[in-house]
Each structure stands twice: as structure tokens, then as C-alpha cells.
Amino acid sequence: MSSVPSATQWGLPASSNRRALLIHGLTSSSHTWERVAQALVEAGYFVVAPNLLSHGFRHGTDFSVGNLAKDIQPYFVDTHYDIIIGHSLGGAILAELLPFLAHRRPISAMLVDPALEVTPDIVDVLKIKISDCIANVRPIEAYMAENPNFTRVDAVTRIVGLHMYMSVEAMVQTFAVSTWRFSRAWTSRVTVDWTAKQPLVVWKAPLQGST
């Protein structure tokens, strides 16, 4: 029996007729989705946001994108989600899951600023930048000043994610493959709209799978 990773949940499954799964980005945590999740709950969704391996105080040995995707597959056992959103690294993980999801009922998959194709030069820059973020967590006000759209809750959840991240070594392993590449032709059952329709949203993909 597969173990289910830790997660944060919003809403009540018994009183919600729709479900959403939210996949956070690198050095974040499930708490990062607080504002988005609350909005989805108000729209009638029961919301689940897993903590990825190496995040949310979760330890492990394999932090590759493929294994991060495999790790959250237990959330799909006997459960259907109407919408799945992945941000940054979470977008790459969602892309990895698309062939798996294509065999299920139709799903809307939204990838927000996804890290799909990262060149070796970008990887080197990210290693330095993220290492600094982990080692030098700043005050709440600094994150709010840097991100004008941040509320105080957003800044707090950003700090929480950094404190809960496992280690720089885990991040280096995630980037061990110098370039992440995902084919646009996953399966004939998946149709993808590659036109950006909202700020930061690269595409919205209705997955046309069998029931």
C-alpha cells in the first residue's frame, strides 16, 4: 500500500462537489497556496496541496523531477480532481504527470510559470540564487517590498517554505539533469493550448481522457 505524502487541505470533502490539487514550487510548501486555496473553497472546491519530497520537512533520497511526480501519485488513487495547478517546479511535475492523468476523466491542468526547459546556464544561476535564499531568509517586510502583490500571509508562507526545505544538496539533485525537457506530444488523449491566457499562466490543458 502506497503511503500518502503530507499535505494541507482546505474545505470539506463531504460538502464540496469539486476537487482541486495544487503543486507548489521549489523551496515552497503546501502553505504557499493559502490565498489560492481559500478562493477555490469559496468557489465550491475541496482543495489538497501536497508537500513535495525535500519540502515541508519531508526527507528522502531521490529528489529528481520524475520521482517527485511519482511520490504524489497516491493522491490520485480513487480520487478525481477537476483542476490541478502546478507552479514553477510544480509545473514541471504536473507536466511529468500528464500521461498518467490522460487515462482518467477530463481534467483542467494549469501550469504557472513552469520550469519545463532549463538550460545549463540557467541551472548554474538558480543554484546560486536558491542557495542564497535558503541560507539568508529575510524579514517579512523584505519579501513584501520585493513582491508588491504579496500580502503578509504570502510573505509568511514564503518564509515557512524556506525554513521547511531539506537542504541545498536536495536542490542540487533536483537540478542534476542539466536540462528538463518535456515533449508536447505526450499522448493523443491530451490536447494542450500553448497560448498564455492569464499573467504567469503558460497554458491551460484540458485533458481528454477516458472515464
Side-chain angles (χ1 to χ4, degrees), residues 27-88:
T27 71
S28 294
S29 74
S30 58
H31 302 289
T32 303
W33 292 106
E34 177 66 27
R35 280 205 295 161
V36 174
Q38 292 293 356
L40 286 168
V41 169
E42 291 178 7
Y45 285 86
F46 172 63
V47 183
V48 178
N51 285 301
L52 300 175
L53 279 175
S54 76
H55 300 75
F57 295 132
R58 295 192 63 217
H59 295 269
T61 57
D62 183 352
F63 307 112
S64 63
V65 174
N67 195 58
L68 295 179
K70 182 179 179 181
D71 176 68
I72 64 173
Q73 284 187 12
Y75 276 103
F76 298 95
V77 176
D78 299 324
T79 302
H80 169 74
Y81 296 96
D82 300 278
I83 185 169
I84 304 175
I85 305 175
H87 171 247
S88 189

Side-chain angles (χ1 to χ4, degrees), residues 21-197:
L21 184 78
L22 311 179
I23 309 173
H24 66 76
L26 190 66
T27 71
S28 294
S29 74
S30 58
H31 302 289
T32 303
W33 292 106
E34 177 66 27
R35 280 205 295 161
V36 174
Q38 292 293 356
L40 286 168
V41 169
E42 291 178 7
Y45 285 86
F46 172 63
V47 183
V48 178
N51 285 301
L52 300 175
L53 279 175
S54 76
H55 300 75
F57 295 132
R58 295 192 63 217
H59 295 269
T61 57
D62 183 352
F63 307 112
S64 63
V65 174
N67 195 58
L68 295 179
K70 182 179 179 181
D71 176 68
I72 64 173
Q73 284 187 12
Y75 276 103
F76 298 95
V77 176
D78 299 324
T79 302
H80 169 74
Y81 296 96
D82 300 278
I83 185 169
I84 304 175
I85 305 175
H87 171 247
S88 189
L89 172 61
I93 291 169
L94 179 49
E96 186 83 12
L97 287 168
L98 287 180
F100 171 75
L101 297 174
H103 297 284
R104 296 170 174 268
R105 290 162 50 190
I107 301 171
S108 289
M110 187 175 294
L111 285 73
V112 183
D113 195 19
L116 295 185
E117 295 191 3
V118 183
T119 65
D121 289 344
I122 293 176
V123 169
D124 290 339
V125 171
L126 286 176
K127 286 179 181 178
I128 296 171
K129 181 178 180 180
I130 294 173
S131 296
D132 180 68
C133 287
I134 296 170
N136 300 291
V137 179
R138 293 174 292 161
I140 293 172
E141 291 72 18
Y143 292 103
M144 293 181 69
E146 184 179 86
N147 302 277
N149 292 326
F150 265 26
T151 65
R152 193 170 186 84
V153 170
D154 294 327
V156 169
T157 57
R158 175 62 182 143
I159 292 170
V160 168
L162 288 167
H163 280 302
M164 296 171 76
Y165 190 62
M166 182 176 167
S167 67
V168 174
E169 289 72 24
M171 179 269 296
V172 171
Q173 187 183 131
T174 300
F175 288 116
V177 178
S178 60
T179 304
W180 297 337
R181 295 193 181 279
F182 297 86
S183 169
R184 298 190 180 190
W186 290 287
T187 167
S188 60
R189 293 183 177 182
V190 178
T191 58
V192 180
D193 179 359
W194 293 90
T195 304
K197 294 186 176 181

